[in-house]
Amino acid sequence: MDNNPSKAISQHARTRRVILFPFPFQGHISPMIQLANILRSKGFTISILHTQFNSPDPSRYPQFTFHLIPDGLPEDQASKGDLAGLIDRLNTNCVGPTRECLGKLLSTHDDVACMVTDAMMYSSQSVAEDLGIPRIVLRTSSVCSFLAFASVPVLLEKGYFSDILDSRREDPVLELPPLRVKDIPGIQTRNLIDVELKIIRSMVEGTKTASGLIFNTFQDLEEPNLANLKEHFRIPTFLIGPFHKFFSAASSSLLTQDRSSISWLDTQKPSSVIYVSFGSAAKMDEKDVREVAWGLAHSMQPFLWVVRPGSVQGSAWLESFPNEFLEVVSKRGCIVKWAPQQEVLSHPAVGGFWTHSGWNSVLESICEGVPMICSSLFADQPVNSRYVSDVWQLGIKLEYGLKREEIESAIRKIMLDRQGQEIRERALHLKEKIDVSLKTDGFSSQSLNALSDLISSFKSSGVSVGSE
Ligand code: UDX
């Protein structure tokens, strides 16, 4: 058996083309580029469609061909903060240009097997159907959170979204244990606006009519939800993650990774540092920043904190940070604009990860056996964090937002207490299971082989190549 996942990939010669279309956000672009590399290593030729908004840099991937899909978005779209509106507009605006681009590709290439598009690029389903190309969906997050999204219309009918009283937020969701009312996707804004409901419905319905469904996750983690998944989505499903164990995400970073974070970690004691990052999309106000800062300062642990420029409302970078806190940073902390996260998590000095519970971050932490403290803001994050704490028991969830006392106590528990040690042992055990899953006869590798076989079985441009 081969321990190296990328070497372990079987090398059947295949010359079929797969057209990929990521949803243009960091947490979605990285896994799609990783999947592109994985499929290429199985012998497929890769074409990537991309929007102008958050465009990847084609010169970094000479192994793929890129095609621009004009998205019709204004230049300042990203700063408007209306995520639901942005998703809706991207889907609407991209339909025509995607159809045109695919039409051209089909008329010039006779090797196109299928499209693989992000679940959030749901409008590509009708384009694929019109042009007679199979569409496989990539869901970049967990199975557990996808099932929560799929349940939203039913939960809406049952009245979960109406009259959300503070007293009910901690109640269990009987239909989706162990979720609580406050964990339901979309409920964080208190009322589900029409456009959010439209997005969720379109994502779920678009997936149900697709030809297959890929997840960047692995079986040992999601076992309790797989029967439910099969019941709701009666299409071939492939759990082939964690993708970054095949190919690192570093090359698909939209921001420059500051390597001074690694030299700073080199000066710290083993397992002493708490790494803090809230991903590529989250924003904080000044009050939140103060709670995070003083929670970190009072924990007395060394910390590495990623503060993205523009992520603190009203500040270009650190202007709104209390001066006394910046003195603490100079003695015991390091703040960077963007870090090489996978390298940070595998660094011996890192003993804990305080994350916003974005799925890539959760997976990367699990793969390095690092215990987590979980915050969560929107979308899949509350479900991911609930599973990390209550089901997988790989971390502690901050239940009440950002409060300095709760932060300080969670950091101490993770870094210094018996609870942290137990979490670390569980995390290391799971890390071993991932290694097994990626071996030639492991679940993820076998699932990847099944995916390759499905793609190879699709007819191309009216020419049947048959299945293997
Ligand atoms: C978004 C959503 O927030 C998330 O809930 C969803 O699951 C995916 O889309 P994002 O907020 O960017 O993603 O979080 P996450 O999924 O964790 O992805 C962040 C990626 O950026 C990770 O691959 C991480 O390694 C990388 N990163 C983060 C860096 O390379 N450097 C950093 O400093 C911080």
Side-chain angles (χ1 to χ4, degrees):
M1 277 191 302
D2 199 327
N3 282 327
N4 179 341
S6 52
K7 253 179 78 193
I9 292 170
S10 65
Q11 295 296 317
H12 305 300
R14 294 172 209 265
T15 54
R16 310 293 304 285
R17 180 177 305 270
V18 181
I19 300 171
L20 308 183
F21 195 178
F23 182 64
F25 280 90
Q26 180 71 74
H28 295 251
I29 292 173
S30 290
M32 189 64 95
I33 296 280
Q34 289 160 347
L35 180 64
N37 276 312
I38 293 169
L39 291 176
R40 183 171 176 271
S41 73
K42 295 295 269 181
F44 295 106
T45 305
I46 304 295
S47 298
I48 297 184
L49 312 188
H50 66 96
T51 54
Q52 271 148 333
F53 175 73
N54 274 347
S55 168
D57 177 0
S59 69
R60 288 163 77 177
Y61 313 98
Q63 68 274 37
F64 308 136
T65 52
F66 285 82
H67 304 271
L68 176 68
I69 302 295
D71 52 40
L73 297 176
E75 294 251 321
D76 62 345
Q77 180 65 52
S79 59
K80 288 187 177 157
D82 170 20
L83 189 57
L86 175 57
I87 296 170
D88 187 39
R89 269 190 297 283
L90 269 171
N91 273 280
T92 307
N93 294 359
C94 288
V95 170
T98 306
R99 185 177 285 122
E100 198 178 318
C101 178
L102 277 177
K104 273 193 198 143
L105 276 171
L106 288 172
S107 66
T108 49
H109 296 82
D110 63 1
D111 57 354
V112 177
C114 66
M115 289 182 90
V116 177
T117 74
D118 195 291
M120 303 287 273
M121 292 304 287
Y122 44 80
S123 62
S124 58
Q125 180 64 29
S126 64
V127 177
E129 282 169 13
D130 288 351
L131 295 174
I133 320 174
R135 171 189 179 228
I136 297 180
V137 170
L138 169 63
R139 178 57 187 161
T140 55
S141 191
S142 52
V143 171
C144 54
S145 68
F146 195 55
L147 287 171
F149 275 104
S151 304
V152 163
V154 173
L155 299 178
L156 185 71
E157 270 173 32
K158 291 195 171 185
Y160 277 95
F161 285 84
S162 51
D163 194 22
I164 308 289
L165 301 171
D166 280 340
S167 57
R168 278 191 54 206
R169 292 174 65 78
E170 301 298 329
D171 287 357
V173 180
L174 299 176
E175 296 80 357
L176 290 174
L179 298 194
R180 300 189 196 170
V181 170
K182 66 182 179 183
D183 303 329
I184 298 173
I187 218 156
Q188 294 72 28
T189 48
R190 287 187 169 253
N191 56 351
L192 196 65
I193 54 174
D194 287 349
V195 67
E196 285 174 330
L197 186 60
K198 175 182 160 195
I199 290 166
I200 292 172
R201 283 210 163 109
S202 306
M203 176 174 80
V204 171
E205 293 312 314
T207 302
K208 283 185 175 165
T209 48
S211 302
L213 174 56
I214 304 169
F215 282 98
N216 180 16
T217 187
F218 59 102
Q219 192 211 19
D220 291 293
L221 208 54
E222 307 273 11
E223 189 76 66
N225 287 310
L226 294 183
N228 197 1
L229 180 71
K230 281 207 175 82
E231 193 183 312
H232 283 87
F233 296 88
R234 296 171 184 269
I235 54 175
T237 302
F238 307 93
L239 273 58
I240 63 175
F243 292 178
H244 74 277
K245 296 299 277 184
F246 294 89
F247 291 95
S248 145
S251 70
S252 50
S253 185
L254 295 172
L255 299 170
T256 307
Q257 299 178 325
D258 183 346
R259 297 200 56 80
S260 69
S261 47
I262 301 295
S263 20
W264 181 82
L265 285 172
D266 289 341
T267 64
Q268 303 299 313
K269 292 190 189 133
S271 301
S272 66
V273 175
I274 176 90
Y275 168 58
V276 186
S277 167
F278 302 127
S280 65
K283 297 207 183 236
M284 283 196 275
D285 60 23
E286 274 189 44
K287 185 176 148 291
D288 288 341
V289 164
R290 277 197 297 278
E291 294 304 307
V292 175
W294 290 121
L296 286 171
H298 294 156
S299 76
M300 304 305 286
Q301 289 295 123
F303 57 88
L304 169 62
W305 184 3
V306 174
V307 180
R308 269 177 15 254
S311 64
V312 180
Q313 278 154 17
S315 271
W317 193 36
L318 304 181
E319 294 77 1
S320 57
F321 281 54
N323 280 336
E324 308 90 294
F325 173 71
L326 292 175
E327 278 168 33
V328 175
V329 176
S330 66
K331 290 189 201 116
R332 205 158 25 85
C334 175
I335 298 183
V336 293
K337 293 177 177 168
W338 196 246
Q341 180 162 301
Q342 284 175 37
E343 237 180 296
V344 166
L345 288 169
S346 64
H347 196 286
V350 171
F353 180 16
W354 177 7
T355 169
H356 70 311
S357 312
W359 186 242
N360 296 289
S361 294
V362 169
L363 266 187
E364 289 161 17
S365 198
I366 291 176
C367 285
E368 299 307 329
V370 178
M372 285 169 266
I373 296 173
C374 292
S375 295
S376 56
L377 297 161
F378 54 82
D380 57 333
Q381 299 161 15
V383 179
N384 295 339
S385 61
R386 177 65 58 207
Y387 270 74
V388 168
S389 69
D390 293 22
V391 181
W392 305 320
Q393 300 181 346
L394 298 172
I396 295 173
K397 181 171 164 78
L398 296 180
E399 294 284 0
Y400 307 107
L402 298 173
K403 300 268 186 309
R404 63 186 77 182
E405 295 80 11
E406 196 189 2
I407 294 166
E408 179 191 339
S409 147
I411 295 175
R412 286 173 171 276
K413 277 187 198 150
I414 284 281
M415 305 295 288
L416 305 171
D417 291 359
R418 174 99 200 104
Q419 190 178 354
Q421 188 50 37
E422 285 168 3
I423 291 175
R424 197 161 292 112
E425 281 158 21
R426 265 193 296 277
L428 290 173
H429 182 59
L430 198 55
K431 185 175 184 286
E432 284 165 18
K433 288 191 168 179
I434 295 174
D435 292 341
V436 171
S437 179
L438 292 168
K439 285 184 179 173
T440 315
D441 53 356
F443 189 91
S444 289
S445 292
Q446 292 296 323
S447 195
L448 176 57
N449 287 340
L451 172 66
S452 297
D453 289 344
L454 176 72
I455 296 175
S456 300
S457 75
F458 292 139
K459 293 176 179 177
S460 61
S461 300
V463 182
S464 172
V465 294
S467 54
E468 293 195 358

